[in-house]
Amino acid sequence: MKSDFKLSIQLNCPLPKLDFDIITLGHGSGGLLTHRLLESGVFKILENPILNEQHDGALLNFSGRVAFSTDSYVISPIFFPGGNIGELAVNGSINDVSMCGAMPQYLSLAFIIEEGLPMEEFWEVLLGIKKASEEAGVPIVTGDTKVVERGKGDKIFINTSGIGSVHPKANINIARIKVGDKILINAPIAQHGVSILSVRQGLEFETTVTSDTRPLHRIVKKLFDECGEDIHFLRDPTRGGVATVMSEVAKQGKLGIELVQKQIPIDEQVEGACEMLGLDPLYVANEGVFISIVSPHVADRVLKILKQNFNMASIIGEVTEAHPGQVILQSKIGGRRVVNMLPGEQLPRIC
Amino acid sequence: MKSDFKLSIQLNCPLPKLDFDIITLGHGSGGLLTHRLLESGVFKILENPILNEQHDGALLNFSGRVAFSTDSYVISPIFFPGGNIGELAVNGSINDVSMCGAMPQYLSLAFIIEEGLPMEEFWEVLLGIKKASEEAGVPIVTGDTKVVERGKGDKIFINTSGIGSVHPKANINIARIKVGDKILINAPIAQHGVSILSVRQGLEFETTVTSDTRPLHRIVKKLFDECGEDIHFLRDPTRGGVATVMSEVAKQGKLGIELVQKQIPIDEQVEGACEMLGLDPLYVANEGVFISIVSPHVADRVLKILKQNFNMASIIGEVTEAHPGQVILQSKIGGRRVVNMLPGEQLPRIC
């Protein structure tokens, strides 16, 4: 993907002027150039009282149970329909913390940049981070910047770690899933994977499908506020898709899982693209999708809450006594087949 | 550096047998291969009750002030005299949390692996992580594994984030540094940088110098136990060395700093190597070194505590009313010179 883009986000202040128009090894030295990069741009764009302290780490306050999660983002290309690697990195760790039943409060941010990254692409990524962090209300409180030589990285990799207090009514654990529990999904599957493929070198195709990257902590909070401990389990099916996550849950929890294909929401264009590319959408990566496994008596209430924000939310299956450790899919044409984990690598560097 | 090493750490169990002798893209898919890699090796080697939950994140307990820090490690080569990238990544984030006046309690661990990394090198790194984590008593509680194509990374990059409760008697803040405060160092400088250079391609030279990678949280705890709020500031001079960190403190705190070169401990071999390579050891990276800035009336007590573990600990300077924002070095031959931040990139990928 070429870098002939305009900054997509409006800043209140002009972009910092630096002596360089690309990132150099010196920007990762920890010395003068690192400081200039941070002080002239990064700290200003991401500013908040904790980050402004500029210490080796951030000082926070907690009491009680806290969830802590980490993810590195190596997606290629770094700009894609619906977002960039920066937004993905912020939303991704927010969602991982949310899936633990916690409310994400703080993020760390660590860059590994390939020497030669155009400075304007770096700012664009940073603005994606700022936008996602502000929209979610979760500040970046500590960070790190490393630079590697040309050919030893690929534009930019980002790690975010997230931390937040567990919701007082949350009790998420695979061991709490029971036979008869209902399985729900909030939104249509495979959007993220298809949107990335549509701009991947050698594969480009016309589509209006955009990534579904978004923070899920607010909807998760609503579920706990209203249904508390009846929410037994949450997980976001990113890499490996719905099939892999469900298969993981079945194996780890020694549970039988039955999914009904016609209940699993999918956009027509996404379905068409998957057919064209020979991909099973059940294995394609999502970013703004999550699975809830809940007591049967709250399933309709959970569905109603999900529908307030996601009109394609759906009950897609249930936990069965039969075939523990296995996921069975009732296909659209009436057949039944076993769903396994993604065996190899379907789409490398999808997140 | 060639990979003709033997595993340096003894395991109680045999190393896992996998179908592959290199890391493939599939190991980062989030699917079956990722699970096999994690279940057959990673979880077993790093096991602890929190990690064993295998959720999207870890559930921890805190009350009160907590320090949170992140760092990515891109060191090259990944194996070096005195350690490997795994130990460095564990000790590095432990030290960053310690420098905030906190006791590191938990770490996250995220890999970005280049396709083709020999499996035995991966295990060796993992065993370095296990060893460092066990020696420090700080468990890995959550993690992530990504794989990028050949030529899009460089063997392995590691991010660790650390978290821990602030010591009840700690109050570390640059604003608390006062004129007259003494500046101490625990150990001789420039060892880490010189040890890495001695094995870097094209530069190899004979030396017995090893990296000083080590955890500093126990000695930091002792300082707070005994001297509490009289410890005004701590920082570990990694990238950019002592000169850059001191210059940073002077600028950020608008303080004058006076250093006495002959008081700054340095190993003879390290000094010789720096001369040979044309490097100023004040700018060379350290890993197990930290600077304390303390009330003058506890300086001797701090020195005594440091000396219990580090026989070359020393008072290396003080905070002055004169020349705020500047670091002045009294050189060995009696001259005085201004010490600035590292201007460019001295030694790329030193940590």
Side-chain angles (χ1 to χ4, degrees):
Chain A
M1 201 188 186
K2 275 185 285 163
S3 68
D4 54 354
F5 57 84
K6 289 250 162 57
L7 286 180
S8 66
I9 301 166
Q10 290 301 312
L11 269 185
N12 300 329
C13 51
L15 267 185
K17 295 251 180 298
L18 289 174
D19 311 340
F20 295 86
D21 55 7
I22 57 166
I23 296 279
T24 68
L25 284 174
H27 290 113
S29 67
L32 194 63
L33 286 178
T34 308
H35 281 260
R36 269 201 208 149
L37 182 69
L38 295 177
E39 272 159 35
S40 67
V42 179
F43 285 137
K44 200 182 281 179
I45 290 175
L46 301 179
E47 70 162 348
N48 63 68
I50 303 172
L51 187 66
N52 296 352
E53 288 289 325
Q54 299 181 26
H55 206 307
D56 271 347
L59 291 179
L60 314 172
N61 272 293
F62 287 108
S63 90
R65 286 170 83 216
V66 166
F68 177 36
S69 185
T70 194
D71 248 328
S72 290
Y73 299 83
V74 299
I75 193 166
S76 171
I78 59 172
F79 301 102
F80 48 81
N84 70 41
I85 189 173
E87 285 153 279
L88 197 73
V90 169
N91 290 335
S93 285
I94 283 175
N95 293 347
D96 281 342
V97 171
S98 306
M99 295 303 116
C100 298
M103 294 300 99
Q105 292 166 269
Y106 306 104
L107 291 177
S108 67
L109 173 68
F111 295 117
I112 299 175
I113 308 174
E114 184 191 14
E115 177 189 20
L117 180 74
M119 204 55 96
E120 64 172 4
E121 296 197 20
F122 179 67
W123 295 130
E124 176 78 6
V125 168
L126 204 64
L127 294 176
I129 291 168
K130 175 193 173 71
K131 179 171 160 259
S133 159
E134 286 182 353
E135 279 178 9
V138 183
I140 310 293
V141 293
T142 190
D144 179 48
T145 306
K146 295 288 193 310
V147 181
V148 296
E149 307 92 324
R150 271 175 217 267
K152 301 294 185 183
D154 193 13
K155 286 181 170 276
I156 189 166
F157 301 145
I158 300 181
N159 178 282
T160 50
S161 298
I163 184 162
S165 292
V166 174
H167 190 288
K169 292 164 82 177
N171 186 2
I172 291 292
N173 196 317
I174 203 163
R176 297 194 60 241
I177 302 175
K178 288 178 193 65
V179 170
D181 277 3
K182 296 292 183 189
I183 302 170
L184 292 97
I185 200 164
N186 65 318
I189 63 168
Q191 282 205 191
H192 177 73
V194 165
S195 81
I196 302 307
L197 282 182
S198 76
V199 290
R200 192 161 281 181
Q201 212 157 20
L203 264 187
E204 298 93 334
F205 56 90
E206 286 289 328
T207 176
T208 57
V209 177
T210 56
S211 168
D212 61 346
T213 177
R214 66 185 148 226
L216 295 167
H217 60 314
R218 295 196 180 97
I219 184 79
V220 166
K221 180 173 184 301
K222 264 193 211 170
L223 294 186
F224 287 112
D225 285 348
E226 301 204 20
C227 303
E229 296 216 344
D230 285 317
I231 312 294
H232 294 160
F233 195 74
L234 297 174
R235 190 155 289 180
D236 55 338
T238 54
R239 279 184 293 178
V242 171
T244 299
V245 159
M246 288 287 86
S247 169
E248 217 174 279
V249 171
K251 285 205 168 44
Q252 214 186 317
K254 298 182 181 65
L255 299 158
I257 285 179
E258 195 107 12
L259 298 177
V260 182
Q261 191 170 20
K262 70 169 195 281
Q263 298 294 337
I264 302 175
I266 183 165
D267 172 272
E268 254 181 41
Q269 246 194 100
V270 170
E271 199 167 20
C274 286
E275 260 169 41
M276 182 181 88
L277 296 164
L279 296 174
D280 181 343
L282 274 181
Y283 289 94
V284 176
N286 310 283
E287 282 296 328
V289 169
F290 73 106
I291 302 277
S292 347
I293 305 183
V294 308
S295 291
H297 73 275
V298 297
D300 288 337
R301 207 159 130 209
V302 169
L303 183 62
K304 209 176 138 193
I305 298 168
L306 291 176
K307 288 231 176 203
Q308 288 165 9
N309 289 271
F310 301 97
N311 57 15
M312 288 170 82
S314 170
I315 299 178
I316 63 169
E318 65 174 37
V319 178
T320 62
E321 191 153 12
H323 54 81
Q326 250 183 4
V327 181
I328 302 286
L329 182 79
Q330 289 181 28
S331 76
K332 280 182 185 163
I333 51 166
R336 288 166 59 86
R337 65 174 171 96
V338 177
V339 171
N340 287 311
M341 278 188 200
L342 179 65
E345 174 63 286
Q346 192 190 45
L347 312 164
R349 298 182 59 192
I350 207 70
C351 65
Chain B
M1 201 187 185
K2 275 186 283 163
S3 69
D4 54 354
F5 57 83
K6 290 250 162 57
L7 286 180
S8 65
I9 300 166
Q10 290 300 312
L11 269 184
N12 300 329
C13 52
L15 265 185
K17 294 249 179 299
L18 290 174
D19 311 339
F20 295 86
D21 55 7
I22 57 166
I23 296 279
T24 68
L25 284 174
H27 289 112
S29 67
L32 195 62
L33 286 178
T34 307
H35 282 260
R36 269 201 209 148
L37 182 70
L38 295 177
E39 272 159 36
S40 67
V42 179
F43 284 137
K44 202 183 280 178
I45 290 175
L46 301 179
E47 71 163 345
N48 62 67
I50 302 171
L51 187 65
N52 295 352
E53 289 288 326
Q54 298 180 29
H55 207 305
D56 271 347
L59 291 180
L60 314 172
N61 273 294
F62 287 107
S63 90
R65 286 169 84 215
V66 166
F68 177 35
S69 186
T70 194
D71 248 329
S72 290
Y73 298 83
V74 298
I75 193 166
S76 170
I78 60 172
F79 301 102
F80 48 82
N84 70 41
I85 190 173
E87 285 153 278
L88 197 73
V90 169
N91 290 335
S93 285
I94 284 176
N95 293 347
D96 280 343
V97 171
S98 305
M99 295 303 116
C100 299
M103 295 299 100
Q105 292 167 272
Y106 306 104
L107 290 177
S108 67
L109 172 68
F111 295 117
I112 299 175
I113 308 175
E114 184 191 15
E115 178 189 19
L117 181 75
M119 204 56 95
E120 63 171 4
E121 296 196 22
F122 179 67
W123 296 129
E124 176 77 6
V125 168
L126 204 65
L127 293 175
I129 290 168
K130 176 193 173 71
K131 179 171 160 259
S133 159
E134 285 182 354
E135 279 177 10
V138 183
I140 309 292
V141 293
T142 190
D144 179 49
T145 306
K146 294 290 192 308
V147 181
V148 296
E149 307 92 325
R150 271 177 218 268
K152 301 294 185 183
D154 193 12
K155 287 182 170 275
I156 189 166
F157 301 145
I158 301 181
N159 177 282
T160 50
S161 298
I163 183 162
S165 291
V166 174
H167 190 288
K169 293 164 82 176
N171 186 2
I172 290 293
N173 196 318
I174 204 164
R176 297 194 60 242
I177 302 176
K178 287 178 192 65
V179 170
D181 277 4
K182 297 291 183 190
I183 303 169
L184 291 96
I185 200 163
N186 65 318
I189 64 168
Q191 282 205 193
H192 178 73
V194 165
S195 81
I196 302 308
L197 283 182
S198 76
V199 290
R200 191 160 282 180
Q201 212 157 19
L203 265 186
E204 296 93 335
F205 56 92
E206 285 291 328
T207 176
T208 57
V209 177
T210 56
S211 168
D212 60 346
T213 176
R214 66 186 149 227
L216 295 167
H217 59 313
R218 295 196 180 96
I219 184 77
V220 165
K221 179 174 184 299
K222 265 195 211 169
L223 295 186
F224 287 112
D225 285 348
E226 300 204 21
C227 303
E229 296 214 344
D230 285 317
I231 312 294
H232 293 160
F233 195 74
L234 297 174
R235 189 155 291 179
D236 55 338
T238 54
R239 280 183 293 176
V242 170
T244 300
V245 159
M246 288 286 86
S247 168
E248 218 173 279
V249 171
K251 283 201 171 47
Q252 215 186 317
K254 297 180 184 67
L255 299 158
I257 285 178
E258 194 107 12
L259 298 177
V260 182
Q261 191 171 21
K262 70 169 195 280
Q263 299 294 337
I264 302 175
I266 183 164
D267 172 272
E268 255 180 40
Q269 246 194 100
V270 170
E271 200 167 19
C274 286
E275 259 167 41
M276 182 181 87
L277 296 164
L279 296 173
D280 181 343
L282 274 182
Y283 289 94
V284 175
N286 310 283
E287 282 296 327
V289 169
F290 73 106
I291 303 277
S292 347
I293 305 183
V294 309
S295 292
H297 74 273
V298 298
D300 287 337
R301 205 156 133 212
V302 169
L303 183 62
K304 209 175 138 193
I305 299 168
L306 292 176
K307 288 230 177 205
Q308 289 165 9
N309 289 272
F310 301 98
N311 56 16
M312 289 170 82
S314 171
I315 299 177
I316 62 169
E318 65 175 38
V319 179
T320 61
E321 191 153 11
H323 53 81
Q326 252 185 1
V327 181
I328 302 286
L329 182 79
Q330 289 180 29
S331 77
K332 280 183 186 163
I333 51 167
R336 289 165 60 84
R337 65 174 171 97
V338 177
V339 172
N340 288 310
M341 279 188 199
L342 179 64
E345 174 61 286
Q346 193 189 47
L347 312 165
R349 299 183 58 192
I350 207 71
C351 66

